Amino acid sequence: MYSESDVLFEKSKKYMPGGVNSPVRAFNAVHRNPVFIDRAEGSRIFDVDGNEYIDYVCSWGPGILGHSRREVIEAVQGACAKGLTFGAPTRNEYVLAEMVQEMMPAIEMLRLVSSGTEAVMSAIRAARGFTGRDKIVKFRGCYHGHSDGLLVKAGSGALTQSVPDSLGVPEDYTRNTLVAEYNDIASVVKLFEEYGGDIAAVIVEPVAANMGVVLPKEGFLEGLRQISDKYHSLLIFDEVITGFRLSSGGAQAYFGVKPDLTTLGKIIGGGMPMAAYGGRKEIMEVVAPLGSVYQAGTLSGNPVATTAGIETLKLLRQEPGLYSRIEENTKKIADTVRETFGNRVCVNQIGSLMSVFFTGGEVTDYESAVQSDTEAYAEYFNYMLGRGIYLAPSQFEAMFISSAHSGADIQRTCEVIQDAEMAMPKF
Ligand SMILES: *Cc1c(COP(=O)(O)O)cnc(C)c1O
């Protein structure tokens, strides 16, 4: 018996690599076909076979208000009626930039782009243009989009040797990307001692959320700030996930550490393709047409996308206690998993982000994250999906909780988690 999702997947595979337009959607890590989504509302997504799920992927982060929030949809419909794109400046772009500046004061000036990948790639170009230096430091396990220079892994042995992590990336493109260990300041110090004068920037996810959720240890982000200052390098917070999620001011407000540049994506587009990079005015002034760092985009600052973004940020600012409410709900799920699975799992949680790692050890970096039993996760995922709970189809992705998840949704989810433990005898 084939479901409509299965039929669509077979057809899609004929025309698109793996049948999808972003690899994780193919569900490879959980050994089953993906479900094809027809529509979504609030905390729920509905597949083409009419199944309903409580959604904890939330489009990988944008859906902090849940799906199809009426105010956002209506505003977008209004914007569509006025035209989809003009390739000329609009009022919206200024309104959105001003809102972002108010919510994240470190972003004195910004540039809107269309994806997180583009935001990070451009921020790094600006950092290099401003400092006149070529090298950057990134952390193993942190993801910053798929631009060539960031698709690196640490080479065997020497920490300082990085090699491409994808076919098609010339080694020349990754030569200037140095790789350090997350939560390990000593590994950063070592790189700076060797290359300090050549390092344009350190880029970090202030909460790592692309190897599963990994929290920064006390002092880690402050340490990055200090060492960047010492060597006159820039500190870039990649807040594509954490921006407007950990708090209305992002991770930088949550932890009280001020980066020089910030990249935003996901929530800022309110579900439309939009992202941004920005920071200190003197740095952003190197960007064209003011300065000589070239960066452009046909659909940048698109009127429909900015409308969705403005409306989303407005709602986030309006609802008092929104962030503490979704954090409480997230904690309830985290506590239930801990009580149910005990020391067979490590649950990392902060704000409305969490991950269940199927490992007995603590997860504090890439090395400890990959100790997880990915087959146990696949079993857990499949059980949950069968019971109407849609989790990320990979051990190394975050679970996203939205303001649309009700108390009843959370309670139902906790019950199914308890049942999952009993349904996993092998583990
Ligand atoms: C998703 C993500 C990106 C890339 O954003 P895209 O819009 O998928 O290109 C970059 N950095 C982080 C931290 C992300 O989570």
Side-chain angles (χ1 to χ4, degrees), residues 267-298:
I267 290 174
I268 196 179
M272 300 292 292
M274 190 168 63
Y277 67 102
R280 274 164 48 205
K281 188 162 176 280
E282 55 173 338
I283 303 169
M284 290 306 290
E285 282 175 346
V286 301
V287 176
L290 265 190
S292 307
V293 168
Y294 189 70
Q295 188 271 311
T298 302

mmCIF file of all heavy atoms in Angstrom, residues 267-298:
data_model
loop_
_atom_site.group_PDB
_atom_site.id
_atom_site.type_symbol
_atom_site.label_atom_id
_atom_site.label_comp_id
_atom_site.label_asym_id
_atom_site.label_seq_id
_atom_site.Cartn_x
_atom_site.Cartn_y
_atom_site.Cartn_z
ATOM 1 N N ILE A 267 13.716 33.248 11.386
ATOM 2 C CA ILE A 267 12.589 34.015 11.929
ATOM 3 C C ILE A 267 12.436 35.379 11.257
ATOM 4 O O ILE A 267 11.315 35.846 11.034
ATOM 5 C CB ILE A 267 12.731 34.194 13.465
ATOM 6 C CG1 ILE A 267 12.522 32.843 14.168
ATOM 7 C CG2 ILE A 267 11.712 35.218 13.998
ATOM 8 C CD1 ILE A 267 12.778 32.866 15.659
ATOM 9 N N ILE A 268 13.531 36.025 10.890
ATOM 10 C CA ILE A 268 13.428 37.396 10.361
ATOM 11 C C ILE A 268 12.573 37.445 9.094
ATOM 12 O O ILE A 268 11.961 38.469 8.791
ATOM 13 C CB ILE A 268 14.826 38.030 10.110
ATOM 14 C CG1 ILE A 268 14.684 39.559 9.947
ATOM 15 C CG2 ILE A 268 15.503 37.425 8.902
ATOM 16 C CD1 ILE A 268 15.980 40.296 9.728
ATOM 17 N N GLY A 269 12.485 36.326 8.377
ATOM 18 C CA GLY A 269 11.661 36.293 7.162
ATOM 19 C C GLY A 269 10.220 35.875 7.425
ATOM 20 O O GLY A 269 9.411 35.862 6.493
ATOM 21 N N GLY A 270 9.913 35.529 8.660
ATOM 22 C CA GLY A 270 8.544 35.171 9.006
ATOM 23 C C GLY A 270 7.977 34.064 8.129
ATOM 24 O O GLY A 270 6.769 33.975 7.929
ATOM 25 N N GLY A 271 8.843 33.221 7.582
ATOM 26 C CA GLY A 271 8.391 32.132 6.717
ATOM 27 C C GLY A 271 8.659 32.390 5.243
ATOM 28 O O GLY A 271 8.442 31.524 4.402
ATOM 29 N N MET A 272 9.128 33.578 4.926
ATOM 30 C CA MET A 272 9.503 33.882 3.536
ATOM 31 C C MET A 272 11.036 33.841 3.449
ATOM 32 O O MET A 272 11.722 33.950 4.458
ATOM 33 C CB MET A 272 9.015 35.282 3.149
ATOM 34 C CG MET A 272 7.513 35.479 3.229
ATOM 35 S SD MET A 272 6.586 34.540 1.995
ATOM 36 C CE MET A 272 7.096 35.378 0.495
ATOM 37 N N PRO A 273 11.578 33.696 2.224
ATOM 38 C CA PRO A 273 13.036 33.637 2.094
ATOM 39 C C PRO A 273 13.669 35.009 2.320
ATOM 40 O O PRO A 273 13.659 35.855 1.431
ATOM 41 C CB PRO A 273 13.256 33.188 0.637
ATOM 42 C CG PRO A 273 11.917 32.805 0.116
ATOM 43 C CD PRO A 273 10.905 33.528 0.938
ATOM 44 N N MET A 274 14.167 35.220 3.527
ATOM 45 C CA MET A 274 14.853 36.487 3.816
ATOM 46 C C MET A 274 15.861 36.272 4.939
ATOM 47 O O MET A 274 15.653 35.448 5.827
ATOM 48 C CB MET A 274 13.867 37.573 4.217
ATOM 49 C CG MET A 274 14.539 38.947 4.291
ATOM 50 S SD MET A 274 13.355 40.290 4.417
ATOM 51 C CE MET A 274 12.600 39.904 5.957
ATOM 52 N N ALA A 275 16.939 37.025 4.894
ATOM 53 C CA ALA A 275 17.972 36.963 5.915
ATOM 54 C C ALA A 275 18.661 38.326 5.945
ATOM 55 O O ALA A 275 18.311 39.216 5.158
ATOM 56 C CB ALA A 275 18.967 35.852 5.596
ATOM 57 N N ALA A 276 19.608 38.489 6.865
ATOM 58 C CA ALA A 276 20.280 39.785 6.980
ATOM 59 C C ALA A 276 21.638 39.619 7.622
ATOM 60 O O ALA A 276 21.873 38.658 8.346
ATOM 61 C CB ALA A 276 19.434 40.736 7.826
ATOM 62 N N TYR A 277 22.527 40.552 7.330
ATOM 63 C CA TYR A 277 23.749 40.657 8.114
ATOM 64 C C TYR A 277 23.945 42.112 8.466
ATOM 65 O O TYR A 277 23.545 43.008 7.720
ATOM 66 C CB TYR A 277 24.958 40.070 7.378
ATOM 67 C CG TYR A 277 25.404 40.809 6.143
ATOM 68 C CD1 TYR A 277 26.518 41.658 6.172
ATOM 69 C CD2 TYR A 277 24.728 40.668 4.925
ATOM 70 C CE1 TYR A 277 26.944 42.332 5.032
ATOM 71 C CE2 TYR A 277 25.144 41.342 3.787
ATOM 72 C CZ TYR A 277 26.251 42.169 3.845
ATOM 73 O OH TYR A 277 26.663 42.832 2.711
ATOM 74 N N GLY A 278 24.531 42.325 9.646
ATOM 75 C CA GLY A 278 24.709 43.711 10.060
ATOM 76 C C GLY A 278 25.553 43.793 11.300
ATOM 77 O O GLY A 278 25.947 42.774 11.871
ATOM 78 N N GLY A 279 25.820 45.023 11.725
ATOM 79 C CA GLY A 279 26.647 45.202 12.905
ATOM 80 C C GLY A 279 27.111 46.637 13.021
ATOM 81 O O GLY A 279 26.390 47.565 12.638
ATOM 82 N N ARG A 280 28.339 46.767 13.531
ATOM 83 C CA ARG A 280 28.873 48.116 13.755
ATOM 84 C C ARG A 280 28.871 48.905 12.451
ATOM 85 O O ARG A 280 29.234 48.420 11.390
ATOM 86 C CB ARG A 280 30.302 48.011 14.291
ATOM 87 C CG ARG A 280 30.360 47.854 15.804
ATOM 88 C CD ARG A 280 31.720 47.373 16.261
ATOM 89 N NE ARG A 280 32.801 48.139 15.665
ATOM 90 C CZ ARG A 280 34.041 47.668 15.507
ATOM 91 N NH1 ARG A 280 34.353 46.443 15.884
ATOM 92 N NH2 ARG A 280 34.972 48.424 14.974
ATOM 93 N N LYS A 281 28.484 50.178 12.596
ATOM 94 C CA LYS A 281 28.337 51.043 11.423
ATOM 95 C C LYS A 281 29.623 51.133 10.605
ATOM 96 O O LYS A 281 29.600 50.986 9.382
ATOM 97 C CB LYS A 281 27.923 52.436 11.927
ATOM 98 C CG LYS A 281 27.535 53.432 10.881
ATOM 99 C CD LYS A 281 26.751 54.560 11.546
ATOM 100 C CE LYS A 281 26.396 55.674 10.588
ATOM 101 N NZ LYS A 281 27.491 56.622 10.333
ATOM 102 N N GLU A 282 30.727 51.319 11.301
ATOM 103 C CA GLU A 282 31.989 51.505 10.551
ATOM 104 C C GLU A 282 32.352 50.262 9.743
ATOM 105 O O GLU A 282 33.006 50.356 8.701
ATOM 106 C CB GLU A 282 33.135 51.888 11.499
ATOM 107 C CG GLU A 282 33.310 50.904 12.627
ATOM 108 C CD GLU A 282 34.547 51.182 13.490
ATOM 109 O OE1 GLU A 282 35.478 51.850 13.026
ATOM 110 O OE2 GLU A 282 34.572 50.690 14.625
ATOM 111 N N ILE A 283 31.920 49.090 10.216
ATOM 112 C CA ILE A 283 32.187 47.877 9.442
ATOM 113 C C ILE A 283 31.249 47.823 8.240
ATOM 114 O O ILE A 283 31.672 47.609 7.102
ATOM 115 C CB ILE A 283 32.010 46.602 10.297
ATOM 116 C CG1 ILE A 283 32.913 46.640 11.523
ATOM 117 C CG2 ILE A 283 32.296 45.362 9.449
ATOM 118 C CD1 ILE A 283 32.613 45.553 12.541
ATOM 119 N N MET A 284 29.956 48.049 8.487
ATOM 120 C CA MET A 284 28.965 47.941 7.412
ATOM 121 C C MET A 284 29.176 48.996 6.328
ATOM 122 O O MET A 284 28.731 48.831 5.192
ATOM 123 C CB MET A 284 27.550 47.999 7.985
ATOM 124 C CG MET A 284 27.156 46.769 8.797
ATOM 125 S SD MET A 284 27.370 45.200 7.894
ATOM 126 C CE MET A 284 26.058 45.318 6.670
ATOM 127 N N GLU A 285 29.875 50.074 6.690
ATOM 128 C CA GLU A 285 30.142 51.108 5.688
ATOM 129 C C GLU A 285 31.151 50.686 4.613
ATOM 130 O O GLU A 285 31.337 51.402 3.631
ATOM 131 C CB GLU A 285 30.601 52.407 6.381
ATOM 132 C CG GLU A 285 29.409 53.144 6.980
ATOM 133 C CD GLU A 285 29.794 54.391 7.786
ATOM 134 O OE1 GLU A 285 30.989 54.566 8.120
ATOM 135 O OE2 GLU A 285 28.878 55.166 8.086
ATOM 136 N N VAL A 286 31.734 49.496 4.797
ATOM 137 C CA VAL A 286 32.618 49.012 3.712
ATOM 138 C C VAL A 286 31.798 48.365 2.589
ATOM 139 O O VAL A 286 32.323 48.040 1.523
ATOM 140 C CB VAL A 286 33.693 47.991 4.191
ATOM 141 C CG1 VAL A 286 34.586 48.590 5.261
ATOM 142 C CG2 VAL A 286 33.059 46.686 4.659
ATOM 143 N N VAL A 287 30.492 48.155 2.844
ATOM 144 C CA VAL A 287 29.661 47.463 1.850
ATOM 145 C C VAL A 287 29.187 48.442 0.771
ATOM 146 O O VAL A 287 28.790 49.574 1.066
ATOM 147 C CB VAL A 287 28.454 46.788 2.545
ATOM 148 C CG1 VAL A 287 27.524 46.139 1.523
ATOM 149 C CG2 VAL A 287 28.930 45.740 3.566
ATOM 150 N N ALA A 288 29.213 47.984 -0.487
ATOM 151 C CA ALA A 288 28.782 48.812 -1.629
ATOM 152 C C ALA A 288 27.309 49.181 -1.494
ATOM 153 O O ALA A 288 26.530 48.389 -0.988
ATOM 154 C CB ALA A 288 29.005 48.027 -2.921
ATOM 155 N N PRO A 289 26.885 50.378 -1.880
ATOM 156 C CA PRO A 289 27.638 51.348 -2.665
ATOM 157 C C PRO A 289 28.489 52.316 -1.840
ATOM 158 O O PRO A 289 29.216 53.110 -2.430
ATOM 159 C CB PRO A 289 26.528 52.139 -3.372
ATOM 160 C CG PRO A 289 25.405 52.135 -2.373
ATOM 161 C CD PRO A 289 25.473 50.780 -1.704
ATOM 162 N N LEU A 290 28.404 52.231 -0.471
ATOM 163 C CA LEU A 290 29.231 53.139 0.329
ATOM 164 C C LEU A 290 30.701 52.779 0.209
ATOM 165 O O LEU A 290 31.558 53.646 0.072
ATOM 166 C CB LEU A 290 28.833 53.039 1.804
ATOM 167 C CG LEU A 290 27.838 54.027 2.366
ATOM 168 C CD1 LEU A 290 27.801 53.880 3.885
ATOM 169 C CD2 LEU A 290 28.213 55.465 1.989
ATOM 170 N N GLY A 291 30.980 51.495 0.316
ATOM 171 C CA GLY A 291 32.368 51.040 0.330
ATOM 172 C C GLY A 291 32.674 50.079 -0.797
ATOM 173 O O GLY A 291 31.881 49.929 -1.733
ATOM 174 N N SER A 292 33.793 49.406 -0.689
ATOM 175 C CA SER A 292 34.300 48.620 -1.819
ATOM 176 C C SER A 292 34.088 47.117 -1.685
ATOM 177 O O SER A 292 34.651 46.342 -2.444
ATOM 178 C CB SER A 292 35.789 48.899 -2.009
ATOM 179 O OG SER A 292 35.986 50.286 -2.119
ATOM 180 N N VAL A 293 33.320 46.689 -0.671
ATOM 181 C CA VAL A 293 32.964 45.265 -0.588
ATOM 182 C C VAL A 293 31.690 45.076 -1.393
ATOM 183 O O VAL A 293 30.641 45.612 -1.037
ATOM 184 C CB VAL A 293 32.746 44.817 0.871
ATOM 185 C CG1 VAL A 293 32.101 43.426 0.936
ATOM 186 C CG2 VAL A 293 34.065 44.826 1.635
ATOM 187 N N TYR A 294 31.781 44.331 -2.500
ATOM 188 C CA TYR A 294 30.617 44.197 -3.361
ATOM 189 C C TYR A 294 29.667 43.119 -2.859
ATOM 190 O O TYR A 294 30.081 42.032 -2.471
ATOM 191 C CB TYR A 294 31.020 43.877 -4.805
ATOM 192 C CG TYR A 294 29.808 43.974 -5.706
ATOM 193 C CD1 TYR A 294 29.238 45.223 -5.967
ATOM 194 C CD2 TYR A 294 29.185 42.833 -6.198
ATOM 195 C CE1 TYR A 294 28.086 45.328 -6.731
ATOM 196 C CE2 TYR A 294 28.027 42.935 -6.964
ATOM 197 C CZ TYR A 294 27.480 44.183 -7.219
ATOM 198 O OH TYR A 294 26.339 44.282 -7.958
ATOM 199 N N GLN A 295 28.394 43.430 -2.877
ATOM 200 C CA GLN A 295 27.363 42.465 -2.491
ATOM 201 C C GLN A 295 26.035 43.024 -2.962
ATOM 202 O O GLN A 295 25.741 44.201 -2.767
ATOM 203 C CB GLN A 295 27.377 42.270 -0.961
ATOM 204 C CG GLN A 295 26.472 41.145 -0.456
ATOM 205 C CD GLN A 295 25.066 41.627 -0.171
ATOM 206 O OE1 GLN A 295 24.873 42.631 0.502
ATOM 207 N NE2 GLN A 295 24.076 40.926 -0.706
ATOM 208 N N ALA A 296 25.231 42.169 -3.613
ATOM 209 C CA ALA A 296 23.991 42.644 -4.216
ATOM 210 C C ALA A 296 22.965 41.524 -4.270
ATOM 211 O O ALA A 296 23.282 40.371 -4.012
ATOM 212 C CB ALA A 296 24.286 43.135 -5.641
ATOM 213 N N GLY A 297 21.715 41.850 -4.617
ATOM 214 C CA GLY A 297 20.700 40.800 -4.738
ATOM 215 C C GLY A 297 19.439 41.295 -5.416
ATOM 216 O O GLY A 297 18.845 42.277 -4.969
ATOM 217 N N THR A 298 19.022 40.619 -6.479
ATOM 218 C CA THR A 298 17.829 41.018 -7.234
ATOM 219 C C THR A 298 16.589 41.077 -6.347
ATOM 220 O O THR A 298 15.799 42.005 -6.422
ATOM 221 C CB THR A 298 17.576 40.012 -8.382
ATOM 222 O OG1 THR A 298 18.729 39.993 -9.211
ATOM 223 C CG2 THR A 298 16.358 40.397 -9.206
#
